[in-house]
Amino acid sequence: MDDLMDYDDAMAAYDTALGLEVHVELNTASKMWCGCTTAFGGEPNTHVCPVCLGLPGSLPVVNGKAVESAIRIGLALNCSIARWCRFARKNYFYPDMPKDYQISQYDEPLCFDGHVDVEVDGETHTIEIERVHMEEDAGKLTHVGGATGRIQGADHSLLDYNRAGVPLMEIVTKPVLGLGEKTPQVARAYMSLLRDLMRALGVSEARMERGNMRCDANVSLMPKGSSELGTRTETKNVNSLRSVEGALTFEIRRQAAVLGAGGRVTQETRHWHEEGHTSPGRSKEQAEDYRYFPEPDLVPVAPSPEWVEQLRATLPEPPAARRARLEREWGFSELEMRDVVAADAVGTIEATVAAGASPQAARKWWLGELARRANEAGVELDAVGMTPAQVAELQGLVEAKTINDGLARQVIDGVLAGEGSPPEVVDARGLAIVSDDGALLEAVDAAIAANPDAVAKVRSGKTQAIGALMGSVMRSMKGKADAGRVRELLAERIG
Ligand code: ZN
Ligand code: MN
Protein backbone atom coordinates (compact mmCIF):
# COMPACT_ATOMS: atom_id res chain seq x y z
CA MET A 1 0.00 0.00 0.00
CA ASP A 2 1.15 3.52 -0.79
CA ASP A 3 2.42 5.85 1.91
CA LEU A 4 0.21 8.90 2.24
CA MET A 5 0.98 12.26 3.76
CA ASP A 6 -1.69 13.92 5.85
CA TYR A 7 -3.61 16.21 3.48
CA ASP A 8 -3.07 19.40 5.50
CA ASP A 9 0.65 18.68 5.86
CA ALA A 10 0.89 18.08 2.10
CA MET A 11 -0.84 21.36 1.37
CA ALA A 12 1.42 23.21 3.82
CA ALA A 13 4.50 22.02 1.92
CA TYR A 14 3.41 21.90 -1.73
CA ASP A 15 1.51 23.80 -4.40
CA THR A 16 -0.48 21.92 -7.03
CA ALA A 17 -0.80 22.08 -10.80
CA LEU A 18 -4.09 20.58 -11.98
CA GLY A 19 -5.08 19.50 -15.48
CA LEU A 20 -8.33 17.92 -16.59
CA GLU A 21 -9.09 16.15 -19.85
CA VAL A 22 -12.77 15.42 -20.13
CA HIS A 23 -14.31 13.16 -22.76
CA VAL A 24 -17.95 13.80 -23.57
CA GLU A 25 -20.01 11.48 -25.77
CA LEU A 26 -22.40 13.44 -27.95
CA ASN A 27 -26.05 12.47 -28.25
CA THR A 28 -26.20 12.63 -32.03
CA ALA A 29 -28.53 10.07 -33.61
CA SER A 30 -25.72 8.51 -35.63
CA LYS A 31 -22.02 7.84 -35.17
CA MET A 32 -19.14 10.18 -36.03
CA TRP A 33 -18.25 8.72 -39.44
CA CYS A 34 -21.15 6.43 -40.39
CA GLY A 35 -24.92 6.14 -40.12
CA CYS A 36 -24.99 3.55 -37.32
CA THR A 37 -27.13 4.39 -34.29
CA THR A 38 -25.48 5.66 -31.11
CA ALA A 39 -28.21 4.14 -28.91
CA PHE A 40 -26.84 2.90 -25.57
CA GLY A 41 -26.82 -0.85 -25.09
CA GLY A 42 -28.34 -3.18 -27.67
CA GLU A 43 -27.22 -6.70 -28.47
CA PRO A 44 -23.41 -6.67 -28.84
CA ASN A 45 -22.16 -5.86 -32.34
CA THR A 46 -25.54 -4.99 -33.79
CA HIS A 47 -24.92 -1.22 -34.12
CA VAL A 48 -22.07 -1.68 -36.58
CA CYS A 49 -21.24 -1.36 -40.28
CA PRO A 50 -18.12 -1.64 -42.47
CA VAL A 51 -17.02 1.90 -41.51
CA CYS A 52 -17.09 1.53 -37.72
CA LEU A 53 -15.72 -2.00 -38.03
CA GLY A 54 -12.80 -0.56 -39.97
CA LEU A 55 -13.23 -2.96 -42.90
CA PRO A 56 -10.88 -2.43 -45.85
CA GLY A 57 -12.25 -0.09 -48.49
CA SER A 58 -14.78 1.63 -46.24
CA LEU A 59 -14.55 5.41 -45.98
CA PRO A 60 -15.63 7.76 -43.17
CA VAL A 61 -17.85 10.83 -43.62
CA VAL A 62 -17.99 13.55 -40.94
CA ASN A 63 -21.24 13.86 -38.97
CA GLY A 64 -22.31 17.49 -39.47
CA LYS A 65 -24.42 17.53 -36.31
CA ALA A 66 -21.36 16.48 -34.28
CA VAL A 67 -19.37 19.40 -35.71
CA GLU A 68 -22.24 21.72 -34.81
CA SER A 69 -22.31 20.38 -31.24
CA ALA A 70 -18.53 20.71 -30.95
CA ILE A 71 -18.66 24.35 -32.05
CA ARG A 72 -21.47 25.10 -29.59
CA ILE A 73 -19.47 23.48 -26.76
CA GLY A 74 -16.45 25.56 -27.75
CA LEU A 75 -18.46 28.77 -27.84
CA ALA A 76 -20.09 28.02 -24.48
CA LEU A 77 -16.57 27.66 -23.06
CA ASN A 78 -15.56 31.01 -24.59
CA CYS A 79 -13.20 29.38 -27.11
CA SER A 80 -12.05 30.68 -30.48
CA ILE A 81 -13.26 28.52 -33.36
CA ALA A 82 -10.77 27.47 -36.05
CA ARG A 83 -11.53 28.75 -39.55
CA TRP A 84 -9.96 25.60 -40.96
CA CYS A 85 -8.78 22.43 -39.26
CA ARG A 86 -8.08 18.81 -40.03
CA PHE A 87 -8.54 15.45 -38.40
CA ALA A 88 -5.52 13.34 -37.48
CA ARG A 89 -4.85 9.65 -37.08
CA LYS A 90 -3.69 8.59 -33.65
CA ASN A 91 -2.03 5.23 -34.12
CA TYR A 92 -1.99 2.68 -31.35
CA PHE A 93 -2.85 -0.93 -30.73
CA TYR A 94 -6.47 -0.47 -29.74
CA PRO A 95 -8.10 -3.88 -29.16
CA ASP A 96 -11.44 -2.10 -28.87
CA MET A 97 -11.04 -0.11 -32.08
CA PRO A 98 -10.65 -2.32 -35.12
CA LYS A 99 -8.92 0.26 -37.36
CA ASP A 100 -6.08 0.31 -34.79
CA TYR A 101 -6.05 4.06 -35.07
CA GLN A 102 -8.38 6.64 -33.64
CA ILE A 103 -9.51 9.52 -35.82
CA SER A 104 -8.92 12.52 -33.59
CA GLN A 105 -7.48 16.01 -33.90
CA TYR A 106 -3.89 16.81 -33.07
CA ASP A 107 -2.31 20.21 -33.67
CA GLU A 108 -5.40 21.73 -35.31
CA PRO A 109 -8.25 21.50 -32.78
CA LEU A 110 -11.63 22.90 -33.78
CA CYS A 111 -11.93 25.06 -30.63
CA PHE A 112 -9.12 26.61 -28.59
CA ASP A 113 -8.20 29.23 -25.95
CA GLY A 114 -11.35 29.37 -23.85
CA HIS A 115 -12.13 29.85 -20.20
CA VAL A 116 -14.91 29.21 -17.73
CA ASP A 117 -15.52 30.33 -14.14
CA VAL A 118 -16.11 27.78 -11.40
CA GLU A 119 -17.44 28.68 -7.98
CA VAL A 120 -16.43 26.90 -4.78
CA ASP A 121 -17.47 28.15 -1.31
CA GLY A 122 -18.40 31.51 -2.77
CA GLU A 123 -15.00 31.98 -4.46
CA THR A 124 -14.64 32.13 -8.22
CA HIS A 125 -11.83 30.25 -9.96
CA THR A 126 -11.16 30.75 -13.65
CA ILE A 127 -10.31 27.55 -15.53
CA GLU A 128 -8.60 28.18 -18.84
CA ILE A 129 -9.49 25.83 -21.66
CA GLU A 130 -6.68 24.85 -23.99
CA ARG A 131 -8.76 23.07 -26.61
CA VAL A 132 -11.93 21.22 -27.50
CA HIS A 133 -11.40 18.66 -30.23
CA MET A 134 -13.45 16.02 -32.02
CA GLU A 135 -12.73 12.31 -32.05
CA GLU A 136 -14.48 8.94 -31.82
CA ASP A 137 -15.16 6.58 -28.95
CA ALA A 138 -13.81 3.04 -28.77
CA GLY A 139 -15.82 -0.18 -28.34
CA LYS A 140 -16.23 -2.01 -25.07
CA LEU A 141 -14.10 -4.86 -23.75
CA THR A 142 -15.49 -7.30 -21.21
CA HIS A 143 -12.96 -9.52 -19.47
CA VAL A 144 -14.57 -12.81 -18.49
CA GLY A 145 -13.42 -14.99 -15.61
CA GLY A 146 -11.04 -13.81 -12.91
CA ALA A 147 -12.08 -12.01 -9.77
CA THR A 148 -11.64 -8.36 -10.69
CA GLY A 149 -13.18 -7.95 -14.14
CA ARG A 150 -9.79 -6.72 -15.33
CA ILE A 151 -7.73 -8.35 -18.03
CA GLN A 152 -5.30 -9.80 -15.47
CA GLY A 153 -6.54 -13.25 -14.53
CA ALA A 154 -9.35 -13.29 -17.12
CA ASP A 155 -10.06 -16.45 -19.16
CA HIS A 156 -11.03 -14.56 -22.27
CA SER A 157 -12.24 -11.15 -23.41
CA LEU A 158 -15.38 -10.18 -25.32
CA LEU A 159 -15.59 -7.27 -27.73
CA ASP A 160 -18.62 -5.12 -28.42
CA TYR A 161 -18.17 -2.52 -31.16
CA ASN A 162 -21.56 -0.86 -30.68
CA ARG A 163 -19.88 2.16 -29.08
CA ALA A 164 -16.98 2.26 -31.55
CA GLY A 165 -17.26 5.47 -33.56
CA VAL A 166 -19.66 7.33 -31.26
CA PRO A 167 -18.78 11.06 -31.45
CA LEU A 168 -16.54 12.09 -28.60
CA MET A 169 -15.45 15.58 -27.64
CA GLU A 170 -12.27 16.04 -25.66
CA ILE A 171 -12.15 19.17 -23.52
CA VAL A 172 -8.66 19.94 -22.21
CA THR A 173 -7.77 22.58 -19.62
CA LYS A 174 -4.52 24.48 -19.41
CA PRO A 175 -2.60 23.76 -16.20
CA VAL A 176 -4.52 25.35 -13.32
CA LEU A 177 -2.17 26.74 -10.68
CA GLY A 178 -2.67 28.23 -7.25
CA LEU A 179 -5.71 26.22 -6.15
CA GLY A 180 -3.90 24.77 -3.13
CA GLU A 181 -6.10 22.76 -0.79
CA LYS A 182 -9.15 23.52 -2.94
CA THR A 183 -7.71 21.58 -5.91
CA PRO A 184 -9.94 18.48 -5.64
CA GLN A 185 -13.05 20.54 -4.89
CA VAL A 186 -12.49 22.89 -7.82
CA ALA A 187 -11.97 19.90 -10.11
CA ARG A 188 -15.24 18.42 -8.94
CA ALA A 189 -17.07 21.73 -9.32
CA TYR A 190 -15.67 22.10 -12.85
CA MET A 191 -16.93 18.63 -13.78
CA SER A 192 -20.32 19.42 -12.29
CA LEU A 193 -20.46 22.65 -14.27
CA LEU A 194 -19.45 20.88 -17.50
CA ARG A 195 -22.11 18.25 -16.91
CA ASP A 196 -24.83 20.86 -16.43
CA LEU A 197 -23.55 22.84 -19.41
CA MET A 198 -23.61 19.80 -21.73
CA ARG A 199 -27.21 19.15 -20.70
CA ALA A 200 -28.20 22.80 -21.11
CA LEU A 201 -26.64 22.75 -24.59
CA GLY A 202 -28.56 19.55 -25.27
CA VAL A 203 -25.45 17.93 -26.78
CA SER A 204 -24.99 15.01 -24.37
CA GLU A 205 -26.82 13.20 -21.59
CA ALA A 206 -23.52 13.62 -19.71
CA ARG A 207 -24.31 10.65 -17.46
CA MET A 208 -20.99 9.83 -15.84
CA GLU A 209 -22.17 6.44 -14.56
CA ARG A 210 -22.83 5.42 -18.17
CA GLY A 211 -19.48 6.72 -19.33
CA ASN A 212 -21.09 9.55 -21.36
CA MET A 213 -18.68 11.86 -19.62
CA ARG A 214 -15.39 10.80 -18.04
CA CYS A 215 -12.35 12.56 -16.76
CA ASP A 216 -8.61 12.04 -16.94
CA ALA A 217 -7.41 13.98 -13.91
CA ASN A 218 -3.77 14.96 -13.74
CA VAL A 219 -1.96 16.64 -10.92
CA SER A 220 1.58 17.43 -9.91
CA LEU A 221 3.13 19.01 -6.86
CA MET A 222 5.87 21.57 -6.50
CA PRO A 223 7.45 22.84 -3.29
CA LYS A 224 5.71 25.99 -2.04
CA GLY A 225 7.26 29.05 -3.61
CA SER A 226 8.72 27.13 -6.56
CA SER A 227 7.48 27.90 -10.06
CA GLU A 228 8.90 24.80 -11.70
CA LEU A 229 6.16 22.25 -12.44
CA GLY A 230 6.64 18.84 -10.86
CA THR A 231 6.13 15.44 -12.50
CA ARG A 232 2.48 14.68 -12.96
CA THR A 233 0.40 11.56 -12.88
CA GLU A 234 -2.81 11.10 -14.82
CA THR A 235 -5.67 9.12 -13.32
CA LYS A 236 -7.67 7.77 -16.27
CA ASN A 237 -11.39 7.51 -16.95
CA VAL A 238 -12.67 8.66 -13.60
CA ASN A 239 -16.43 8.35 -13.92
CA SER A 240 -18.14 10.15 -11.08
CA LEU A 241 -17.87 13.57 -9.50
CA ARG A 242 -16.98 12.16 -6.10
CA SER A 243 -14.30 9.97 -7.68
CA VAL A 244 -12.67 12.98 -9.34
CA GLU A 245 -12.39 14.61 -5.94
CA GLY A 246 -11.26 11.36 -4.30
CA ALA A 247 -8.64 10.50 -6.93
CA LEU A 248 -7.04 13.95 -6.77
CA THR A 249 -7.01 14.00 -2.96
CA PHE A 250 -5.37 10.59 -2.96
CA GLU A 251 -2.76 11.51 -5.58
CA ILE A 252 -1.85 14.73 -3.75
CA ARG A 253 -1.30 12.80 -0.53
CA ARG A 254 0.61 9.99 -2.28
CA GLN A 255 2.87 12.30 -4.30
CA ALA A 256 3.57 14.42 -1.21
CA ALA A 257 4.68 11.30 0.66
CA VAL A 258 6.99 10.31 -2.22
CA LEU A 259 8.50 13.80 -2.47
CA GLY A 260 8.66 14.23 1.31
CA ALA A 261 10.74 11.04 1.57
CA GLY A 262 13.18 12.43 -1.01
CA GLY A 263 11.82 10.30 -3.85
CA ARG A 264 10.70 11.18 -7.37
CA VAL A 265 7.19 10.92 -8.73
CA THR A 266 6.98 8.56 -11.73
CA GLN A 267 5.19 9.99 -14.76
CA GLU A 268 2.49 7.44 -15.43
CA THR A 269 -1.20 6.88 -15.87
CA ARG A 270 -3.05 5.53 -12.87
CA HIS A 271 -6.39 3.84 -12.24
CA TRP A 272 -8.90 4.89 -9.61
CA HIS A 273 -10.44 2.20 -7.42
CA GLU A 274 -13.77 2.99 -5.80
CA GLU A 275 -12.48 1.74 -2.42
CA GLY A 276 -10.49 4.95 -2.40
CA HIS A 277 -7.03 4.60 -3.93
CA THR A 278 -5.19 4.75 -7.26
CA SER A 279 -2.82 2.16 -8.70
CA PRO A 280 -0.21 2.47 -11.45
CA GLY A 281 -1.23 1.87 -15.07
CA ARG A 282 1.18 2.20 -17.93
CA SER A 283 4.03 4.67 -18.14
CA LYS A 284 2.55 7.48 -20.19
CA GLU A 285 3.19 7.53 -23.93
CA GLN A 286 4.58 10.72 -25.42
CA ALA A 287 2.65 12.31 -28.27
CA GLU A 288 5.29 11.16 -30.79
CA ASP A 289 4.60 7.54 -29.87
CA TYR A 290 1.20 7.85 -31.52
CA ARG A 291 2.71 8.76 -34.91
CA TYR A 292 -0.03 11.32 -35.57
CA PHE A 293 -0.54 12.35 -39.19
CA PRO A 294 -3.34 14.19 -41.02
CA GLU A 295 -6.26 11.88 -41.74
CA PRO A 296 -6.18 11.27 -45.51
CA ASP A 297 -9.74 9.94 -45.75
CA LEU A 298 -11.47 13.12 -44.53
CA VAL A 299 -11.62 16.63 -45.91
CA PRO A 300 -10.75 19.54 -43.57
CA VAL A 301 -13.48 21.20 -41.52
CA ALA A 302 -13.89 24.90 -42.36
CA PRO A 303 -16.89 26.40 -40.54
CA SER A 304 -17.94 29.73 -42.00
CA PRO A 305 -17.97 32.71 -39.61
CA GLU A 306 -21.69 33.17 -40.41
CA TRP A 307 -22.48 29.64 -39.29
CA VAL A 308 -20.42 30.09 -36.10
CA GLU A 309 -22.36 33.29 -35.30
CA GLN A 310 -25.67 31.53 -35.95
CA LEU A 311 -24.63 28.82 -33.49
CA ARG A 312 -23.52 31.43 -30.93
CA ALA A 313 -27.09 32.74 -30.98
CA THR A 314 -28.34 29.29 -29.86
CA LEU A 315 -26.24 29.13 -26.69
CA PRO A 316 -28.00 28.63 -23.34
CA GLU A 317 -27.66 31.04 -20.47
CA PRO A 318 -24.07 31.02 -19.11
CA PRO A 319 -23.66 28.89 -15.94
CA ALA A 320 -23.04 31.79 -13.51
CA ALA A 321 -26.05 33.73 -14.77
CA ARG A 322 -28.21 30.62 -14.56
CA ARG A 323 -27.19 29.99 -10.99
CA ALA A 324 -27.92 33.59 -9.97
CA ARG A 325 -31.31 33.51 -11.70
CA LEU A 326 -32.34 30.22 -10.07
CA GLU A 327 -31.26 31.43 -6.63
CA ARG A 328 -33.54 34.45 -7.14
CA GLU A 329 -36.46 32.50 -8.63
CA TRP A 330 -36.32 29.84 -5.96
CA GLY A 331 -36.04 32.35 -3.15
CA PHE A 332 -33.01 30.55 -1.71
CA SER A 333 -30.49 32.25 0.54
CA GLU A 334 -26.94 32.40 -0.78
CA LEU A 335 -25.98 29.69 1.70
CA GLU A 336 -28.85 27.42 0.63
CA MET A 337 -27.85 27.85 -2.99
CA ARG A 338 -24.22 27.12 -2.15
CA ASP A 339 -25.30 23.83 -0.57
CA VAL A 340 -27.31 22.98 -3.66
CA VAL A 341 -24.31 23.70 -5.89
CA ALA A 342 -21.97 21.72 -3.65
CA ALA A 343 -24.39 18.78 -3.79
CA ASP A 344 -24.39 18.98 -7.63
CA ALA A 345 -28.15 19.29 -7.41
CA VAL A 346 -28.89 22.45 -9.43
CA GLY A 347 -30.14 20.63 -12.53
CA THR A 348 -31.96 17.97 -10.52
CA ILE A 349 -33.84 20.54 -8.44
CA GLU A 350 -34.62 22.57 -11.55
CA ALA A 351 -36.20 19.48 -13.14
CA THR A 352 -38.13 18.69 -9.95
CA VAL A 353 -39.51 22.23 -9.78
CA ALA A 354 -40.44 22.00 -13.46
CA ALA A 355 -42.36 18.82 -12.59
CA GLY A 356 -44.45 20.75 -10.06
CA ALA A 357 -42.69 20.66 -6.69
CA SER A 358 -41.93 23.81 -4.71
CA PRO A 359 -38.22 24.74 -4.71
CA GLN A 360 -37.92 24.26 -0.93
CA ALA A 361 -39.57 20.84 -1.08
CA ALA A 362 -37.34 19.78 -3.99
CA ARG A 363 -34.31 20.98 -2.05
CA LYS A 364 -35.42 19.14 1.09
CA TRP A 365 -35.75 15.76 -0.63
CA TRP A 366 -32.67 15.94 -2.83
CA LEU A 367 -30.30 17.35 -0.21
CA GLY A 368 -31.76 15.27 2.61
CA GLU A 369 -33.12 11.77 2.19
CA LEU A 370 -31.99 11.22 -1.41
CA ALA A 371 -28.48 12.61 -0.86
CA ARG A 372 -28.17 10.19 2.06
CA ARG A 373 -29.28 7.24 -0.12
CA ALA A 374 -26.95 8.26 -2.94
CA ASN A 375 -24.11 8.50 -0.48
CA GLU A 376 -24.84 5.06 0.98
CA ALA A 377 -25.02 3.55 -2.51
CA GLY A 378 -21.87 5.41 -3.59
CA VAL A 379 -23.60 6.94 -6.63
CA GLU A 380 -24.29 10.44 -7.89
CA LEU A 381 -27.51 12.11 -6.90
CA ASP A 382 -28.92 11.91 -10.42
CA ALA A 383 -28.19 8.17 -10.55
CA VAL A 384 -29.85 7.37 -7.23
CA GLY A 385 -32.80 5.66 -8.95
CA MET A 386 -35.56 8.21 -8.43
CA THR A 387 -36.39 10.77 -11.13
CA PRO A 388 -37.19 14.46 -10.55
CA ALA A 389 -40.76 13.76 -11.72
CA GLN A 390 -41.12 11.02 -9.10
CA VAL A 391 -39.84 13.33 -6.37
CA ALA A 392 -42.42 15.92 -7.43
CA GLU A 393 -45.09 13.18 -7.29
CA LEU A 394 -43.93 12.15 -3.83
CA GLN A 395 -44.15 15.73 -2.58
CA GLY A 396 -47.62 16.00 -4.13
CA LEU A 397 -48.72 13.01 -2.03
CA VAL A 398 -47.31 14.64 1.11
CA GLU A 399 -49.11 17.92 0.37
CA ALA A 400 -52.37 16.08 -0.32
CA LYS A 401 -51.86 14.43 3.11
CA THR A 402 -52.02 11.00 1.49
CA ILE A 403 -48.71 10.28 3.24
CA ASN A 404 -46.53 12.05 5.78
CA ASP A 405 -42.74 12.51 5.70
CA GLY A 406 -42.13 9.26 7.58
CA LEU A 407 -44.25 7.28 5.12
CA ALA A 408 -42.61 9.15 2.25
CA ARG A 409 -39.34 7.53 3.25
CA GLN A 410 -40.98 4.12 2.88
CA VAL A 411 -42.31 5.21 -0.51
CA ILE A 412 -38.75 6.10 -1.51
CA ASP A 413 -37.67 2.60 -0.41
CA GLY A 414 -40.29 1.16 -2.75
CA VAL A 415 -39.43 3.36 -5.72
CA LEU A 416 -35.72 2.56 -5.34
CA ALA A 417 -36.58 -1.15 -5.10
CA GLY A 418 -38.26 -0.89 -8.50
CA GLU A 419 -41.84 -1.21 -7.25
CA GLY A 420 -43.10 1.57 -9.50
CA SER A 421 -44.12 5.20 -9.15
CA PRO A 422 -44.83 6.79 -5.74
CA PRO A 423 -48.66 6.35 -6.02
CA GLU A 424 -48.15 2.71 -7.09
CA VAL A 425 -45.90 2.09 -4.08
CA VAL A 426 -48.43 3.75 -1.74
CA ASP A 427 -51.14 1.42 -3.10
CA ALA A 428 -49.07 -1.75 -3.18
CA ARG A 429 -47.62 -1.27 0.30
CA GLY A 430 -50.81 0.17 1.79
CA LEU A 431 -49.05 3.29 3.02
CA ALA A 432 -51.85 5.85 2.71
CA ILE A 433 -52.60 7.76 5.88
CA VAL A 434 -55.78 6.69 7.70
CA SER A 435 -57.91 9.83 7.62
CA ASP A 436 -61.03 8.15 8.95
CA ASP A 437 -61.55 9.66 12.44
CA GLY A 438 -63.22 6.47 13.65
CA ALA A 439 -60.05 4.41 13.29
CA LEU A 440 -57.93 7.24 14.66
CA LEU A 441 -60.16 7.72 17.69
CA GLU A 442 -59.92 4.05 18.51
CA ALA A 443 -56.11 4.33 18.58
CA VAL A 444 -56.29 7.61 20.53
CA ASP A 445 -58.55 6.11 23.19
CA ALA A 446 -56.34 3.03 23.46
CA ALA A 447 -53.27 5.24 23.93
CA ILE A 448 -55.01 7.30 26.62
CA ALA A 449 -56.08 4.15 28.46
CA ALA A 450 -52.58 2.65 28.29
CA ASN A 451 -50.71 5.79 29.44
CA PRO A 452 -52.48 7.25 32.47
CA ASP A 453 -49.26 8.90 33.74
CA ALA A 454 -48.80 10.85 30.52
CA VAL A 455 -52.45 11.88 30.53
CA ALA A 456 -52.11 13.16 34.10
CA LYS A 457 -49.01 15.16 33.17
CA VAL A 458 -50.75 16.78 30.20
CA ARG A 459 -53.72 17.67 32.40
CA SER A 460 -51.36 19.24 34.97
CA GLY A 461 -49.97 21.52 32.22
CA LYS A 462 -46.87 19.53 31.16
CA THR A 463 -47.99 19.67 27.54
CA GLN A 464 -44.79 18.09 26.16
CA ALA A 465 -45.97 14.80 27.69
CA ILE A 466 -48.42 14.59 24.79
CA GLY A 467 -45.41 13.37 22.77
CA ALA A 468 -45.56 9.98 24.49
CA LEU A 469 -49.24 9.65 23.61
CA MET A 470 -48.62 10.72 20.01
CA GLY A 471 -45.83 8.13 19.77
CA SER A 472 -48.15 5.45 21.07
CA VAL A 473 -50.89 6.32 18.54
CA MET A 474 -48.44 6.55 15.63
CA ARG A 475 -46.98 3.16 16.56
CA SER A 476 -50.35 1.47 16.69
CA MET A 477 -51.25 3.12 13.33
CA LYS A 478 -47.87 1.96 11.91
CA GLY A 479 -47.06 5.59 11.16
CA LYS A 480 -50.07 5.90 8.85
CA ALA A 481 -51.72 8.84 10.56
CA ASP A 482 -51.68 12.58 10.08
CA ALA A 483 -49.75 13.76 13.13
CA GLY A 484 -51.61 17.09 13.23
CA ARG A 485 -54.99 15.35 13.33
CA VAL A 486 -53.79 12.90 16.02
CA ARG A 487 -52.68 15.84 18.18
CA GLU A 488 -56.09 17.51 17.73
CA LEU A 489 -57.99 14.35 18.69
CA LEU A 490 -55.77 13.76 21.75
CA ALA A 491 -56.31 17.34 22.89
CA GLU A 492 -60.10 16.94 22.44
CA ARG A 493 -60.23 13.64 24.34
CA ILE A 494 -57.99 14.72 27.22
CA GLY A 495 -59.83 18.01 27.42
ZN1 ZN B 1 -21.11 2.13 -38.48
MN1 MN C 1 -9.12 11.50 -26.32
Side-chain angles (χ1 to χ4, degrees):
M1 214 52 207
D2 293 295
D3 281 337
L4 301 178
M5 188 183 284
D6 176 77
Y7 190 73
D8 293 337
D9 293 343
M11 292 291 67
Y14 300 100
D15 282 327
T16 64
L18 169 73
L20 297 166
E21 297 183 13
V22 179
H23 284 92
V24 177
E25 264 183 9
L26 298 182
N27 60 358
T28 52
S30 59
K31 291 187 181 181
M32 190 71 204
W33 327 111
C34 63
C36 291
T37 176
T38 59
F40 181 74
E43 279 293 299
N45 299 308
T46 53
H47 304 166
V48 293
C49 74
V51 172
C52 55
L53 288 176
L55 300 186
S58 64
L59 285 171
V61 177
V62 175
N63 181 330
K65 184 74 183 175
V67 177
E68 179 188 299
S69 295
I71 293 173
R72 293 179 69 237
I73 292 170
L75 292 172
L77 295 171
N78 302 295
C79 289
S80 303
I81 308 300
R83 295 288 299 272
W84 189 92
C85 65
R86 286 178 296 185
F87 290 97
R89 276 191 193 181
K90 183 180 185 182
N91 297 278
Y92 193 67
F93 176 73
Y94 295 100
D96 45 7
M97 188 164 266
K99 299 193 296 289
D100 268 357
Y101 58 83
Q102 179 191 37
I103 305 179
S104 180
Q105 295 195 285
Y106 180 45
D107 49 354
E108 302 170 13
L110 179 62
C111 319
F112 53 93
D113 286 347
H115 60 88
V116 68
D117 284 347
V118 169
E119 199 193 296
V120 169
D121 294 341
E123 274 176 40
T124 300
H125 302 274
T126 299
I127 309 291
E128 296 200 78
I129 307 291
E130 181 170 299
R131 56 192 283 150
V132 180
H133 73 243
M134 302 178 283
E135 55 186 41
E136 56 181 323
D137 211 345
K140 186 166 181 278
L141 275 164
T142 306
H143 304 297
V144 181
T148 59
R150 308 186 76 118
I151 195 166
Q152 293 86 350
D155 294 327
H156 59 276
S157 298
L158 298 172
L159 274 162
D160 176 7
Y161 291 122
N162 283 357
R163 197 178 62 189
V166 168
L168 206 58
M169 298 299 111
E170 186 173 323
I171 304 169
V172 184
T173 67
K174 293 182 181 166
V176 193
L177 304 173
L179 295 177
E181 61 183 18
K182 293 277 172 68
T183 301
Q185 266 178 288
V186 171
R188 178 187 178 135
Y190 168 75
M191 292 299 292
S192 178
L193 179 142
L194 277 190
R195 183 189 69 178
D196 286 358
L197 191 57
M198 295 305 132
R199 292 178 183 170
L201 284 162
V203 297
S204 173
E205 312 314 318
R207 300 198 71 91
M208 293 189 78
E209 79 281 7
R210 282 192 176 185
N212 289 157
M213 184 168 129
R214 41 199 200 254
C215 175
D216 299 341
N218 66 63
V219 68
S220 65
L221 299 184
M222 51 194 161
K224 272 233 162 13
S226 164
S227 56
E228 196 182 326
L229 292 181
T231 304
R232 68 198 177 100
T233 61
E234 176 170 310
T235 306
K236 301 290 283 181
N237 287 327
V238 186
N239 68 352
S240 77
L241 298 174
R242 78 182 62 220
S243 301
V244 170
E245 193 174 353
L248 285 166
T249 304
F250 182 90
E251 271 305 292
I252 288 169
R253 296 181 61 199
R254 188 188 66 82
Q255 290 182 20
V258 170
L259 296 172
R264 299 170 63 135
V265 173
T266 309
Q267 181 168 342
E268 62 191 355
T269 63
R270 298 185 67 91
H271 301 293
W272 169 248
H273 303 272
E274 294 302 330
E275 317 87 82
H277 67 99
T278 66
S279 66
R282 51 189 162 82
S283 63
K284 175 77 173 159
E285 283 79 8
Q286 302 294 319
E288 55 266 27
D289 296 332
Y290 290 116
R291 207 167 44 89
Y292 280 100
F293 58 86
E295 169 58 55
D297 287 345
L298 288 167
V299 294
V301 174
S304 73
E306 295 75 26
W307 187 36
V308 171
E309 288 318 304
Q310 277 169 22
L311 293 177
R312 195 189 299 279
T314 70
L315 293 186
E317 189 180 22
R322 170 170 174 261
R323 182 172 305 174
R325 174 179 59 79
L326 290 174
E327 182 180 320
R328 215 168 44 240
E329 285 178 9
W330 292 346
F332 285 3
S333 70
E334 197 194 320
L335 215 59
E336 283 174 331
M337 194 63 187
R338 213 181 273 180
D339 283 347
V340 169
V341 171
D344 311 305
V346 177
T348 318
I349 290 180
E350 192 179 26
T352 310
V353 171
S358 72
Q360 284 296 358
R363 178 175 166 280
K364 181 185 88 173
W365 290 117
W366 285 111
L367 266 60
E369 191 64 19
L370 290 163
R372 192 175 66 71
R373 310 275 183 132
N375 205 28
E376 277 171 12
V379 298
E380 300 299 335
L381 204 50
D382 67 346
V384 73
M386 195 150 167
T387 64
Q390 288 172 331
V391 172
E393 251 182 321
L394 181 79
Q395 178 61 21
L397 293 169
V398 172
E399 282 167 19
K401 300 210 164 159
T402 306
I403 52 172
N404 54 30
D405 278 11
L407 294 165
R409 279 185 268 281
Q410 296 183 49
V411 176
I412 292 174
D413 289 339
V415 173
L416 296 186
E419 294 169 21
S421 69
E424 286 166 353
V425 173
V426 168
D427 280 351
R429 292 194 174 197
L431 293 177
I433 280 178
V434 177
S435 52
D436 157 30
D437 273 0
L440 284 181
L441 273 173
E442 228 172 85
V444 163
D445 288 339
I448 287 172
N451 298 280
D453 293 356
V455 174
K457 279 185 191 161
V458 174
R459 287 203 169 117
S460 70
K462 290 186 184 134
T463 49
Q464 70 271 27
I466 206 162
L469 296 163
M470 300 257 320
S472 171
V473 175
M474 293 306 272
R475 268 193 304 283
S476 72
M477 298 297 297
K478 298 199 168 63
K480 293 188 284 188
D482 172 7
R485 185 66 190 140
V486 170
R487 185 182 288 271
E488 277 171 20
L489 291 174
L490 277 168
E492 270 173 33
R493 283 303 220 225
I494 295 171

